[in-house]
Amino acid sequence: VEIYSLHVDCKVTSRFAHTVITSRIVNRANESREATFEVELPKTAFITNFSMSIDGKVYPGIIKEKAAAQKEYDTAVSQGQSAGLVKITDRKLEQFHVSVSIAAASKVIFELTYEELLKRQLGKYELLIKVRPKQLVKHFQIDVHIFEPQGIHFLETDSTFMTNELTEALTKVQNETKAHILFNPTIDQQKINSELDETLLNGDFVVHYDVKREATAGDIQIVNGYFVHYFAPQEMPVFPKNVIFVIDRSGSMTGRKIQQTRDALLKILQDLRPEDHFSFITFSNKVVEWKSSLLPATEENVASAAAFVQTLTARGGTDINGALLAAVSTLEKDERLPERSISMIILLTDGQPTSGEKNVKAIQENIQKAINGKYALFCLGFGFDVSYKFLEKMALSNGGIARRIYENADAALQLQGFYQEVATPILMQIEMQYPENAIEGLTKNNFKLFFEGSEIIVSGKISNELDLLPVEIKAQSHMSDLTLKEEANVKEKEQVFHNQRYIFGDFIERLWAYLTIQQLLEKVISAQEEDQKALEAQALDLSLRYSFVTPLTSMVVTKPSDQQQEELANKPTESG
């Protein structure tokens, strides 16, 4: 079975990426064979379309409500046949896998489409394309078009498998607002060496870029009555932060995990700013405070903390509740913390609560009551024995986020990378205001914290015939309270995209739907049970209307009549 063509076509318009992967396969054997389509896509993306075309006959994937699809599927198939077409493969990717039996000399074309909104992290966007054809491919190409009306500030490509020969197959062309990246190695360039028919193409192909930013109140773009507003202020003074690291040293952290935690904390200590205050709480079944209050990050205190971190060893149970309450109380009773500063608690744990309060609902309630909106709680779950759902709910209910740390060689880097994302808060209490009577379906428009290198995105539908869209941003910076104002001329903004030939027309509307669904699903996690149903119904409605495979929908993949009739593609989530 030969893959004779594999194309990855990607169009990024104003951070919204639309990727189509097309694989063409022929069965060169003289009997029927299994043809497989296996691709990895970013977890943050939603699949929007899939089809198989066998000798010209098309078998489309159909997106339905998950529960209904599952019911149909169970009826159609004897129980016990596994039907997970999509599974999480690592911390950034999930894999879509489908195979079909094709007759001798038959051809099949697989086509998968997915979309995602690129998220700015540490000052850049990342477009990640996983390349693993597992064989030499006659016509192989990755074709990326980027259009950023704000202007491209920088753009670089990176790959884990490049050689000098392969570099010759890579071309980059860019001007002020557009970039085109083409990678189309010949069969000879793909080979590990001339004798072996083995491919070098195995790994990540990554595009990193950032856009130019002029306007202080961000940038507004409008297409077909939908707007998106990007806000990422630069060069602002950084808030001093008061951070307590709450570190699990229970028995299960023994060995590599505690070693990686020590390595990461030593690096993080070096990254503290002199005006920051910090402390450590470590816990097993006992909760131990390193100091009774937070210390300023002087050279001397950082050195003493580093010596303490070196001594961390792991044994005992897991009292998450006691440790977090101790952290809150340390922040509460500390009167010497700077006036305008931001307090945060960073929890790292690898297990379930086994000591003290063990009921996760009770812990969530205790912590939310204690924090009471005053501090941000970030929860890092190390490995797969944690209850990620519990950590995620706790973080989202207390103004933070949760992240799973994968137990790989680079776990220390993952921990450090997370810290860098939250290390430089430059704004708090950000409110993005728009004329109330003129906007429908506004996405989240107030944010607790803004970290340097990230980006705030708000989108909505302009309901009546507005000529000017006024926006006002209110926020607190370290030095003062800010008010920023801007007016967008709707007709002019619409014009920007009219003459672009490769823009998919309703992309801001799709971006709005994508963002709304992501935010509704996030709300569900921390919502009261009685509100969850309504939020899910809203997200389901949008998932079906815009045909996204989300955790609430399934794609039913149909096959020729002589084979297992249908399979389901579901969206996996980090909390399983």
Side-chain angles (χ1 to χ4, degrees):
V1 174
E2 177 199 336
I3 303 174
Y4 63 92
S5 162
L6 182 60
H7 281 200
V8 180
D9 279 299
C10 186
K11 295 179 174 41
V12 184
T13 306
S14 186
R15 346 284 200 254
F16 195 63
H18 174 93
T19 304
V20 183
I21 300 178
T22 311
S23 173
R24 296 165 188 267
I25 296 179
V26 60
N27 178 5
R28 301 232 184 260
N30 47 18
E31 56 189 2
S32 61
R33 285 270 194 274
E34 195 88 331
T36 299
F37 177 68
E38 186 180 280
V39 297
E40 286 177 273
L41 59 143
K43 284 180 187 172
T44 42
F46 290 149
I47 290 172
T48 64
N49 206 350
F50 172 73
S51 69
M52 268 184 310
S53 153
I54 303 171
D55 294 334
K57 183 170 178 6
V58 178
Y59 298 88
I62 298 144
I63 296 177
K64 297 184 175 178
E65 181 191 357
K66 194 176 199 166
Q70 191 64 46
K71 209 161 139 190
E72 276 176 41
Y73 177 80
D74 290 345
T75 330
V77 174
S78 61
Q79 293 290 346
Q81 241 173 329
S82 107
L85 297 182
V86 189
K87 60 174 195 285
I88 287 181
T89 47
D90 78 6
R91 66 193 175 94
K92 287 187 178 177
L93 297 161
E94 59 193 37
Q95 181 196 71
F96 177 87
H97 175 113
V98 69
S99 37
V100 61
S101 168
I102 54 171
S106 275
K107 285 183 179 173
V108 56
I109 301 170
F110 294 105
E111 187 178 279
L112 178 75
T113 307
Y114 59 85
E115 291 178 342
E116 67 176 317
L117 180 56
L118 302 181
K119 193 175 166 194
R120 188 167 184 253
Q121 275 175 317
L122 301 175
K124 56 189 176 192
Y125 304 99
E126 173 177 277
L127 178 71
L128 170 61
I129 295 168
K130 189 75 175 180
V131 179
R132 198 185 293 171
K134 296 181 180 168
Q135 56 171 269
L136 299 171
V137 178
K138 194 171 172 186
H139 303 289
F140 176 92
Q141 91 172 26
I142 295 175
D143 195 10
V144 179
H145 283 274
I146 296 173
F147 173 51
E148 288 291 350
Q150 279 171 267
I152 295 171
H153 172 52
F154 78 88
L155 180 137
E156 57 195 26
T157 57
D158 196 13
S159 137
T160 53
F161 53 77
M162 271 306 169
T163 58
N164 289 343
E165 261 83 81
L166 284 174
T167 313
E168 291 168 17
L170 178 68
T171 51
K172 267 195 308 190
V173 183
Q174 73 182 81
N175 61 22
E176 191 66 17
T177 58
K178 294 197 190 98
H180 178 212
I181 296 154
L182 182 65
F183 177 57
N184 54 356
T186 62
I187 283 224
D188 285 340
Q189 287 170 322
Q190 293 169 40
K191 286 183 182 178
I192 289 180
N193 61 37
S194 50
E195 283 76 70
L196 285 175
D197 279 352
E198 280 182 42
T199 177
L200 285 163
L201 305 183
N202 181 1
D204 300 345
F205 184 86
V206 186
V207 181
H208 283 133
Y209 74 93
D210 198 14
V211 301
K212 294 180 177 161
R213 293 183 173 79
E214 307 290 322
T216 48
D219 189 78
I220 293 170
Q221 299 174 16
I222 302 172
V223 171
N224 297 343
Y226 283 82
F227 81 90
V228 59
H229 183 185
Y230 296 108
F231 179 54
Q234 287 163 301
E235 291 158 20
M236 313 253 322
V238 177
F239 275 100
K241 58 184 184 305
N242 317 309
V243 56
I244 299 191
F245 298 95
V246 181
I247 305 297
D248 183 342
R249 54 177 171 82
S250 60
S252 53
M253 286 285 288
T254 297
R256 185 159 86 150
K257 280 197 253 186
I258 197 82
Q259 177 61 52
Q260 290 173 319
T261 302
R262 287 197 297 255
D263 293 347
L265 289 173
L266 290 171
K267 295 269 189 351
I268 288 169
L269 282 168
Q270 297 306 313
D271 289 345
L272 288 169
R273 296 164 177 265
E275 60 276 15
D276 291 342
H277 286 68
F278 74 105
S279 190
F280 287 98
I281 289 176
T282 63
F283 68 98
S284 51
N285 40 341
K286 291 200 293 288
V287 174
V288 178
E289 299 187 37
W290 173 55
K291 300 285 184 213
S292 56
S293 62
L294 289 93
L295 296 187
T298 60
E299 222 169 296
E300 194 171 344
N301 289 337
V302 165
S304 139
F308 165 72
V309 165
Q310 302 278 23
T311 66
L312 285 181
T313 53
R315 59 172 98 54
T318 312
D319 183 1
I320 293 177
N321 186 63
L324 285 175
L325 290 176
V328 174
S329 121
T330 304
L331 283 167
E332 296 228 287
K333 61 176 197 259
D334 206 316
E335 307 207 315
R336 299 160 313 134
L337 298 176
E339 182 72 14
R340 278 179 104 106
S341 60
I342 286 170
S343 298
M344 49 175 85
I345 298 170
I346 298 179
L347 167 72
L348 172 68
T349 177
D350 76 331
Q352 316 277 1
T354 59
S355 319
E357 177 59 75
K358 299 186 196 61
N359 177 326
V360 293
K361 260 212 166 91
I363 298 176
Q364 283 162 342
E365 281 167 18
N366 293 346
I367 303 309
Q368 195 165 351
K369 205 162 127 192
I371 289 182
N372 195 15
K374 294 191 292 277
Y375 318 122
L377 171 64
F378 297 95
C379 295
L380 303 177
F382 206 145
F384 281 86
D385 298 329
V386 287
S387 163
Y388 190 79
K389 248 198 173 97
F390 155 64
L391 294 179
E392 192 172 31
K393 178 167 183 171
M394 217 162 37
L396 291 173
S397 307
N398 294 291
I401 55 171
R403 184 76 56 85
R404 192 190 295 281
I405 301 297
Y406 278 69
E407 286 183 56
N408 321 354
D410 73 342
L413 286 172
Q414 294 175 52
L415 286 166
Q416 234 182 300
F418 172 79
Y419 173 76
Q420 283 167 344
E421 283 174 49
V422 299
T424 45
I426 55 175
L427 290 178
M428 56 191 269
Q429 311 303 352
I430 304 110
E431 285 179 45
M432 314 280 284
Q433 297 171 344
Y434 308 88
E436 264 172 42
N437 53 356
I439 303 291
E440 286 171 38
L442 190 64
T443 59
K444 178 178 159 124
N445 67 327
N446 49 42
F447 303 84
K448 237 177 145 153
L449 294 172
F450 175 77
F451 299 100
E452 195 173 25
S454 67
E455 181 167 57
I456 283 175
I457 304 177
V458 182
S459 182
K461 185 180 182 187
I462 302 172
S463 48
N464 50 20
E465 295 298 307
L466 266 197
D467 295 328
L468 290 175
L469 173 62
V471 303
E472 183 169 299
I473 303 172
K474 291 195 154 119
Q476 295 173 20
S477 79
H478 178 36
M479 299 305 181
S480 60
D481 291 359
L482 303 176
T483 302
L484 305 169
K485 292 184 178 181
E486 183 78 57
E487 268 192 335
N489 180 319
V490 178
K491 294 267 185 300
E492 270 174 35
K493 291 284 180 188
E494 288 258 11
Q495 227 27 64
V496 175
F497 293 98
H498 274 312
N499 44 16
Q500 299 306 326
R501 69 197 156 78
Y502 58 73
I503 301 315
F504 36 117
D506 53 356
F507 88 94
I508 291 186
E509 183 176 346
R510 293 193 67 79
L511 181 160
W512 166 81
Y514 172 98
L515 190 58
T516 305
I517 293 166
Q518 293 277 30
Q519 291 178 356
L520 286 166
L521 293 171
E522 199 167 280
K523 261 193 196 153
V524 168
I525 296 165
S526 55
Q528 298 299 319
E529 275 173 37
E530 59 271 19
D531 303 331
Q532 290 179 341
K533 285 274 176 287
L535 293 167
E536 283 185 343
Q538 224 181 318
L540 171 64
D541 177 57
L542 285 172
S543 303
L544 291 169
R545 190 162 13 133
Y546 290 94
S547 80
F548 285 127
V549 178
T550 70
L552 301 170
T553 51
S554 283
M555 180 183 281
V556 181
V557 173
T558 51
K559 292 189 170 182
S561 53
D562 57 346
Q563 297 175 48
Q564 181 188 335
Q565 274 298 274
E566 50 185 51
E567 291 186 281
L568 294 188
N570 291 330
K571 171 93 182 152
T573 61
E574 198 60 82
S575 54

